[in-house]
């Protein structure tokens, strides 16, 4: 029987054959795809013809096509719908895939062909995109260790293989802790909880085959529980479990893994001649140096901390008025902040959520994309990897642009957080290929027959991830290696964070935020209160984020700490971390940093991009029209369709005419002045 992963995908839009897939198919498919990729790489490296762009760089771009197809399917499923078999294969694949990558980048004959082309690049008559791809290919090989020799070369390969294993273990430990913990609620424990929290807790119990109600470590459940439960002891128990993920001792403890990862990253950077991993990592980003990152973070830290300390005093007084003496604790903050929001802004989350149904917010995101970029979305009835996932065909003036998959509900088999990925990326090399893009979220799944209702933060997350999806769907380049979100890490969050702004455009809310039962528009006074409170608790939100970014930077800037937890504590004390706020991501569950290299020494990038997104939306506001066609066209041309075809700063300057300062960010967060 033919392995469905290796056969031609002839179904609708050449989607992965989800209905035919079995876990047992993946191992043999990887073996076959790796063998094919190795043969293709060898043919390029051993080609007796002189090196040309076509027979070396372009050929290299297509050499791993089958492997990319198999891996794109497997790793998306491993993150969104894990099984024991997939987890076991992921552990097995980690060193194999790392070893293959090292084989390619350490192939001396292959690198010599690339180097020959790069040295003669001015004489090759390359297009700007081809020149960019040649430069990035050569840079990637050098940064992977292609110029190393002897023992250093061998050690680099071993370091990268070990890092791949450790990152996989870190991810799976975190998933295990999140999957296995829950807190049963007795009937009296439901006191004070809005109906939507009670319903979510009941649905979480049903998913685990239990009667009654439970709190899990899914953000979509634990955060509203912390906001609304008047039972302080239960809030403390839930909060401490949430923040102890990866630090519970035993087989799933991530603290030793984090220490080893940091040590190996430092060694990797020094093998390549860099003073630190941060210096190595930031060299190719917009920030360039650790000093520039720290300067941005500290310019935001001081006003954010001042605001948070001011807010802490107000919340402490509210707590004392409730008869609770002592200091405000981390498990108290969200509870009293929610009471303060209701008091000062008359915002009732239970009254707000019926206007923010999942279906309505999806339509809002689609409508904004239609108005800005002329996109249309048609629901598809196609087999997908999980019953909760759904798909749409994306077109523009009748032309197929992409398939978009939305997988929105939390489940035990899905890792936490929200992300955008692709089963297939856009390219033109070898024929027009349009992307298959997926947004994965962890919203609370409603009880059977009930509509899914979002919080305002959930709706913002939906728009954020859809901004990433647009970056993929509107990509219009020849080479996959620079398509879509294949850009500098501190530029990749610009489209996503920028798209969040359209959620707050009054005409969008007026059109789409309609009561899920009555169809009535959100009352004007509710909308006004909601928008007036947009910067509510920004001191807290900014402090917990910037603290995490500063710890990440410190971990990678000098010698790796022998005890990351002690180093984390020392840095938080040095910057004056408010006692009632903790890092958004403490080290043992800091997946952005330790589940792979993506955001290592790069968690700051959300804020770096926010400097640009605040400024970019002001470009629309300056026209008086949030959907100004000319501005939208420039955004698509220079950002969304361009991928990594030029340096990020060049692309942003072409869109806006200049690079921004931090002032727009501070204004946007209500921290200016």
């Amino acid at each position: 029987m033919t392995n469905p992963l290796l056969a031609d995908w002839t179904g609708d839009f050449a989607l992965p054959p989800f209905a035919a897939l079995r876990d047992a198919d993946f191992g043999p498919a990887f073996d076959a795809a790796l063998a094919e990729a190795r043969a293709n790489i060898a043919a390029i490296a051993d080609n007796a013809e002189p090196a040309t762009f076509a027979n070396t760089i372009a050929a290299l771009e297509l050499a791993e096509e089958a492997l990319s197809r198999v891996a794109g399917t497997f790793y998306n499923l491993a993150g969104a719908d894990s099984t024991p078999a997939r987890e076991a294969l992921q552990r097995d694949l980690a060193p194999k895939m790392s070893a293959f990558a090292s084989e390619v980048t350490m192939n001396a004959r292959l690198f010599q062909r690339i180097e020959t082309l790069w040295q003669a690049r001015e004489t090759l008559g390359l297009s700007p995109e081809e020149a960019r791809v040649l430069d990035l290919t050569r840079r990637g090989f050098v940064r992977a260790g292609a110029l190393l020799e002897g023992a250093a070369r061998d050690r680099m390969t071993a370091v990268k293989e070990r890092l791949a294993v450790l990152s996989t273990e870190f991810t799976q430990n975190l998933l295990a802790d999140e999957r296995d913990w829950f807190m049963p609620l007795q009937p009296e424990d439901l006191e004070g909880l809005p109906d939507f929290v009670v319903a979510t807790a009941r649905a979480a119990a049903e998913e685990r085959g239990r009667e009654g109600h439970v709190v899990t470590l899914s953000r979509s459940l634990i955060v509203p529980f912390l906001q609304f439960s008047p039972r302080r002891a239960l809030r403390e128990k839930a909060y401490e479990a949430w923040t102890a993920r990866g630090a519970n001792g035993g087989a799933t403890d991530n603290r030793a893994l984090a220490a080893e990862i940091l040590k190996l990253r430092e060694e990797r950077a020094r093998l390549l001649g860099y003073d630190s991993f941060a210096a190595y990592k930031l060299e190719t980003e917009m920030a360039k140096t650790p000093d520039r990152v720290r300067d941005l973070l500290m310019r935001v830290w001081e006003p954010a901390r001042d605001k948070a300390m001011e807010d802490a005093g107000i919340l402490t007084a509210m707590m004392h008025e409730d008869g609770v003496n002592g200091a405000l604790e981390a498990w108290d903050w969200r509870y009293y902040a929610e009471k303060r929001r209701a008091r000062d802004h008359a915002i009732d989350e239970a009254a707000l959520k019926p206007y923010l149904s999942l279906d309505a917010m999806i339509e809002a995101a689609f409508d904004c994309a239609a108005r800005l970029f002329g996109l249309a979305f048609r629901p598809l009835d196609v087999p997908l990897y999980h019953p909760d996932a759904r798909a749409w065909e994306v077109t523009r003036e009748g032309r197929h642009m992409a398939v978009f998959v939305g997988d929105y509900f939390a489940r035990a088999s899905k890792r936490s957080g929200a992300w955008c990925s692709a089963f297939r990326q856009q390219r033109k090399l070898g024929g027009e290929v349009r992307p298959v893009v997926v947004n994965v979220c962890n919203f609370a799944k409603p009880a059977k027959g009930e509509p899914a209702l979002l919080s305002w933060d959930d709706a913002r997350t939906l728009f954020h991830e859809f901004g990433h999806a647009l970056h993929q769907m509107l990509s219009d380049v020849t080479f996959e290696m620079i398509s879509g979100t294949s850009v500098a890490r501190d530029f990749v969050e610009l489209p996503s964070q920028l798209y969040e702004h359209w959620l707050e455009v009054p005409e969008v809310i007026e059109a789409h935020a309609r009561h899920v039962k009555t169809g009535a528009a959100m009352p004007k006074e509710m909308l006004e209160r909601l928008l007036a409170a947009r910067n509510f608790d920004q001191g807290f939100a900014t402090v917990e984020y910037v603290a995490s970014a500063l710890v990440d930077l410190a971990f990678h800037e000098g010698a790796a700490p022998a005890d990351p937890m002690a180093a984390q504590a020392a840095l938080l004390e040095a910057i004056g971390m408010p006692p009632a706020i903790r890092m958004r991501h403490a080290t043992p569950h800091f997946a952005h940093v330790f589940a792979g290299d993506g955001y290592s020494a790069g968690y700051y990038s959300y804020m770096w991009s926010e400097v640009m997104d605040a400024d970019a939306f002001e470009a629309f506001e300056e026209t008086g029209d949030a959907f100004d066609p000319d501005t939208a066209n420039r955004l698509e041309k220079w950002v969304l369709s361009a991928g990594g075809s030029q340096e990020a700063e060049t692309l942003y300057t072409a869109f806006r005419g200049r690079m921004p300062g931090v002032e727009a960010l501070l204004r946007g967060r209500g921290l200016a002045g």
Side-chain angles (χ1 to χ4, degrees):
M1 182 177 177
T2 302
N3 189 316
L5 286 161
L6 299 174
D8 289 338
W9 295 357
T10 57
D12 292 338
F13 307 105
L15 293 174
F18 294 116
L21 290 182
R22 302 293 180 268
D23 283 348
D25 295 328
F26 283 108
F30 268 105
D31 289 342
L34 279 166
E36 178 181 313
R38 284 189 169 98
N40 291 340
I41 296 295
I44 298 168
D46 297 336
N47 190 344
E49 296 293 324
T52 66
F53 186 89
N55 71 19
T56 302
I57 304 302
L60 192 58
E61 271 283 281
L62 298 175
E64 299 174 23
E65 188 169 10
L67 181 60
S68 296
R69 193 169 59 163
V70 173
T73 304
F74 174 75
Y75 287 110
N76 273 298
L77 268 59
D81 192 26
S82 182
T83 66
R86 290 170 189 171
E87 291 183 14
L89 180 57
Q90 204 172 1
R91 291 191 294 271
D92 183 54
L93 284 171
K96 289 183 179 179
M97 295 296 283
S98 178
F100 169 71
S102 292
E103 284 177 33
V104 175
T105 54
M106 299 294 193
N107 186 316
R109 297 184 307 280
L110 178 61
F111 180 67
Q112 185 55 56
R113 294 178 70 86
I114 296 168
E115 184 71 6
T116 297
L117 292 171
W118 190 77
Q119 293 293 343
R121 60 193 180 278
E122 301 296 339
T123 68
L124 299 179
L126 302 178
S127 70
E129 188 176 326
E130 289 172 337
R132 173 74 168 164
V133 167
L134 173 58
D135 188 57
L136 291 177
T137 300
R138 194 257 184 190
R139 187 177 78 180
F141 271 67
V142 171
R143 287 172 58 80
L147 294 177
L148 297 178
E149 297 178 347
R153 187 185 187 88
D154 294 339
R155 180 57 186 161
M156 175 64 78
T157 298
V159 165
K160 288 194 287 188
E161 284 188 32
R162 180 60 179 161
L163 282 170
V165 170
L166 293 171
S167 295
T168 300
E169 289 183 17
F170 189 99
T171 303
Q172 294 188 352
N173 288 347
L174 183 54
L175 177 61
D177 278 3
E178 292 168 346
R179 180 178 57 219
D180 295 344
W181 188 91
F182 61 88
M183 181 176 71
L185 298 178
Q186 301 304 315
E188 59 270 22
D189 297 333
L190 304 179
E191 174 194 349
L193 298 179
D195 289 345
F196 74 87
V197 181
V198 174
T200 302
R202 182 171 63 250
E206 290 173 359
E207 185 191 9
R208 283 160 176 74
R210 299 180 61 90
E211 298 291 328
H213 304 77
V214 303
V215 173
T216 69
L217 298 183
S218 169
R219 189 178 187 90
S220 60
L221 176 50
I222 197 167
V223 167
F225 180 79
L226 293 170
Q227 287 176 307
F228 293 105
S229 175
R231 296 184 174 268
R232 194 179 191 222
L234 291 183
R235 294 201 310 268
E236 179 181 4
K237 182 178 179 181
Y239 183 85
E240 292 290 17
W242 192 34
T243 55
R245 290 168 294 157
N248 289 304
T252 63
D253 197 294
N254 277 335
R255 287 170 287 191
L257 299 184
E260 188 177 354
I261 288 170
L262 293 173
K263 183 178 180 181
L264 289 172
R265 284 179 180 162
E266 179 195 0
E267 183 180 1
R268 178 182 173 186
R270 293 191 185 281
L271 282 169
L272 293 170
Y274 294 87
D275 292 337
S276 68
F277 185 80
Y280 159 76
K281 187 67 182 295
L282 295 173
E283 180 184 52
T284 59
E285 309 297 339
M286 294 184 75
K288 301 302 181 189
T289 68
D291 286 344
R292 291 187 70 191
V293 172
R294 185 181 300 98
D295 177 65
L296 169 66
L297 294 174
M298 292 308 297
R299 289 185 66 186
V300 178
W301 172 259
E302 294 299 338
R305 183 185 181 278
D306 291 345
K307 186 68 172 67
M309 294 299 290
E310 176 187 331
D311 291 343
I314 296 170
L315 301 184
T316 300
M318 292 175 66
M319 186 177 75
H320 291 169
E321 289 171 6
D322 275 356
V324 180
N325 296 319
L328 183 77
E329 300 288 353
W331 49 86
D332 297 318
W333 191 292
R334 286 177 173 84
Y335 179 70
Y336 285 100
E338 183 61 31
K339 292 183 73 170
R340 182 187 177 195
R341 185 171 74 139
R343 183 193 71 185
D344 294 355
H345 297 283
I347 292 177
D348 179 350
E349 189 83 9
L352 174 63
K353 291 188 75 158
Y355 293 96
L356 301 175
S357 74
L358 173 61
D359 287 346
M361 293 301 98
I362 292 172
E363 286 303 314
F366 287 176
D367 182 43
C368 290
R371 297 180 64 182
L372 288 164
F373 310 114
L375 299 179
F377 299 82
R378 178 178 67 89
L380 293 176
D381 182 12
V382 293
L384 296 170
Y385 60 88
H386 192 277
D388 286 345
R390 41 184 159 161
W392 294 262
E393 182 190 11
V394 186
T395 60
R396 179 155 62 184
E397 297 179 346
R399 178 197 173 200
H400 174 75
M401 297 292 290
V403 170
F404 173 65
V405 178
D407 181 1
Y408 295 108
F409 297 130
R411 52 180 173 267
S413 62
K414 183 189 288 185
R415 65 180 172 88
S416 62
W419 63 93
C420 176
S421 186
F423 287 97
R424 182 171 67 237
Q425 291 182 268
Q426 180 269 331
R427 73 165 196 259
K428 297 176 184 176
L429 185 67
E432 180 78 9
V433 174
R434 297 308 304 173
V436 177
V437 186
V438 58
N439 277 177
V440 184
C441 299
N442 272 279
F443 304 143
K445 188 174 183 177
K448 190 174 182 179
E450 293 295 317
L453 305 180
L454 305 185
S455 68
W456 187 247
D457 282 345
D458 288 338
R460 192 189 308 277
T461 295
L462 187 149
F463 267 67
H464 178 102
E465 298 307 332
F466 193 72
H468 282 307
L470 286 172
H471 204 176
Q472 299 262 28
M473 293 188 287
L474 292 171
S475 180
D476 187 27
V477 297
T478 299
F479 297 90
E480 184 175 322
M481 73 174 295
I482 56 169
S483 73
T485 54
S486 301
V487 298
R489 182 63 61 176
D490 47 14
F491 191 63
V492 77
E493 296 297 335
L494 168 61
S496 56
Q497 293 178 178
L498 174 59
Y499 206 66
E500 293 178 31
H501 288 272
W502 275 277
L503 176 61
E504 296 185 347
V505 173
E507 62 188 278
V508 174
I509 296 299
E510 290 165 2
H512 295 282
R514 295 186 170 271
H515 198 281
V516 72
K517 292 183 178 179
T518 68
M522 181 184 289
K524 185 177 180 180
E525 62 274 15
M526 179 183 285
L527 173 59
E528 290 173 348
R529 293 195 306 269
L530 182 64
L531 296 179
R534 70 181 69 185
N535 287 321
F536 178 77
D537 215 22
Q538 271 299 318
F540 169 87
T542 307
V543 160
E544 65 163 7
Y545 164 77
V546 174
S548 297
L550 286 167
V551 167
D552 167 43
L553 181 65
F555 277 169
H556 295 99
E557 192 175 4
D563 184 349
M565 299 303 292
Q568 172 185 293
L571 184 134
L572 295 179
E573 181 178 3
I575 63 175
M577 184 74 170
I581 304 178
R582 297 188 191 175
M583 293 168 59
R584 182 173 298 176
H585 304 290
T587 297
H589 56 86
F590 206 163
H592 281 80
V593 170
F594 293 105
D597 271 357
Y599 284 90
S600 56
Y603 192 61
Y604 76 91
S605 60
Y606 288 93
M607 186 146 284
W608 191 276
S609 292
E610 190 176 341
V611 171
M612 289 179 286
D613 86 63
D615 178 70
F617 193 69
E618 286 186 356
F620 285 89
E621 292 180 317
E622 288 163 6
T623 72
D625 180 5
F627 296 93
D628 178 65
D630 290 340
T631 309
N633 287 339
R634 291 202 318 274
L635 179 65
E636 178 177 350
K637 177 180 179 180
W638 295 112
V639 178
L640 297 176
S641 72
S645 58
Q646 298 183 58
E647 290 291 334
E649 188 164 332
T650 302
L651 292 172
Y652 189 83
T653 302
F655 162 65
R656 192 67 167 110
R658 54 167 172 73
M659 287 299 293
V662 74
E663 293 75 20
L665 179 150
L666 293 174
R667 288 195 301 271
R669 287 190 172 231
L671 300 174

